[in-house]
Amino acid sequence: MHKEAGSVTPYAALRLVPSELSLVPAHTVHAVFELSIYNHSKGMYYGCKASYSFDFKNFYSKEHCLIPLKKLLKSSAFLVEDSCVFAVEILKIDACSPEKKAVVVQKKPTTVQNLFVQEKGFVKGTYTWNMNNFLELDLDHSVRSPTFEVGGHKWYIRMYPRGDLYSTDCLSLYLFLDASDELHLESKKVAVMTLSILNQKNGKHLTKNSGSTLLSKYQCYSCV
């Protein structure tokens, strides 16, 4: 359900995200890759080639639109028995150290992932976290909200008053799926979320939106 700037048409889109454990502080990883969707009727992948430089502050690429969502849900070529096939091929990887020295990176094979798609409405819900003692917080440490439930799952917000490793100059908010929630590791769901902070003088919210994101038990969303 990704929408490009200035467009109202939702797309099925992909973006590439390296594992945080694979990123080294102050190192930059430049990747050239191709994201695609499989056409079962023609036996071919259709997609786009892209490149991106990943580091600790830029750890996911932009979304790349592959097919309008409306077209995908009506298609018998891309969507077969409620399943569609997406792929990523890593064409080239270059890593640089702070001293601008090249780092040798092994190339790995193409990964193909079957994703289950359902044409159903999203379960909606909201949660408001009122914090009455903000100035009394230890601003160098994160604060966790009470656990709340939306869509049959338990969630919580973690706030970093002075930012964290990925945003050192502004307040950061993260939405987590609670570790006690019984969502199996192999289970995947789609979520679209908005995090906001209220300007109490004018009643308006400063808001950041996420695109559609696949999540598993311990993954989180971030908003800065």
Side-chain angles (χ1 to χ4, degrees):
M1 292 181 63
H2 174 68
K3 295 179 181 178
E4 292 183 311
S7 173
V8 297
T9 302
Y11 277 80
L14 296 182
R15 63 183 179 188
L16 185 63
V17 185
S19 166
E20 293 179 21
L21 296 176
S22 68
L23 294 175
V24 179
H27 282 62
T28 299
V29 177
H30 181 75
V32 180
F33 53 93
E34 186 169 353
L35 299 165
S36 58
I37 183 173
Y38 188 68
N39 185 316
H40 292 269
S41 297
K42 297 184 178 182
M44 298 176 62
Y45 283 94
Y46 290 86
C48 60
K49 185 177 178 181
S51 63
Y52 195 77
S53 293
F54 300 92
D55 55 39
F56 260 54
K57 289 189 176 181
N58 303 285
F59 54 96
Y60 53 83
S61 71
K62 64 170 288 187
E63 295 92 343
H64 295 276
C65 296
L66 297 183
I67 183 173
L69 186 59
K70 185 176 180 180
K71 179 180 178 180
L72 172 62
L73 294 175
K74 292 182 178 180
S75 171
S76 59
F78 294 100
L79 184 61
V80 177
E81 295 180 354
D82 282 339
S83 292
C84 49
V85 179
F86 297 95
V88 57
E89 182 175 5
I90 307 297
L91 303 173
K92 184 180 179 181
I93 301 177
D94 295 308
C96 293
S97 68
E99 297 79 20
K100 304 299 181 181
K101 295 180 180 179
V103 179
V104 177
V105 180
Q106 286 188 330
K107 183 178 179 181
K108 295 186 177 181
T110 301
T111 297
V112 176
Q113 177 69 52
N114 288 298
L115 299 178
F116 182 67
V117 177
Q118 288 182 302
E119 189 176 3
K120 294 182 179 179
F122 278 81
V123 177
K124 296 183 178 180
T126 59
Y127 172 74
T128 301
W129 183 16
N130 293 309
M131 185 172 294
N132 299 319
N133 60 339
F134 185 86
L135 295 179
E136 299 175 12
L137 297 175
D138 182 350
L139 299 182
D140 292 326
H141 294 84
S142 66
V143 183
R144 172 177 166 161
S145 76
T147 300
F148 59 94
E149 185 170 328
V150 171
H153 294 290
K154 297 176 182 177
W155 311 82
Y156 67 90
I157 298 170
R158 187 172 292 280
M159 180 187 67
Y160 294 81
R162 290 183 174 175
D164 62 351
L165 183 64
Y166 306 107
S167 57
T168 58
D169 57 353
C170 56
L171 182 145
S172 300
L173 296 177
Y174 288 78
L175 176 66
F176 283 84
L177 188 65
D178 194 279
S180 65
D181 194 282
E182 295 182 357
L183 179 61
H184 297 297
L185 288 176
E186 65 273 13
S187 177
K188 303 289 182 182
K189 293 201 172 183
V190 176
V192 179
M193 68 97 189
T194 297
L195 286 171
S196 61
I197 184 170
L198 176 65
N199 184 325
Q200 298 181 69
K201 287 187 176 181
N202 59 23
K204 295 182 179 180
H205 286 85
L206 174 63
T207 300
K208 294 289 185 178
N209 299 311
S210 80
S212 300
T213 309
L214 288 173
L215 60 96
S216 60
K217 188 170 182 179
Y218 298 112
Q219 287 179 316
C220 66
Y221 304 94
S222 66
C223 179
V224 178

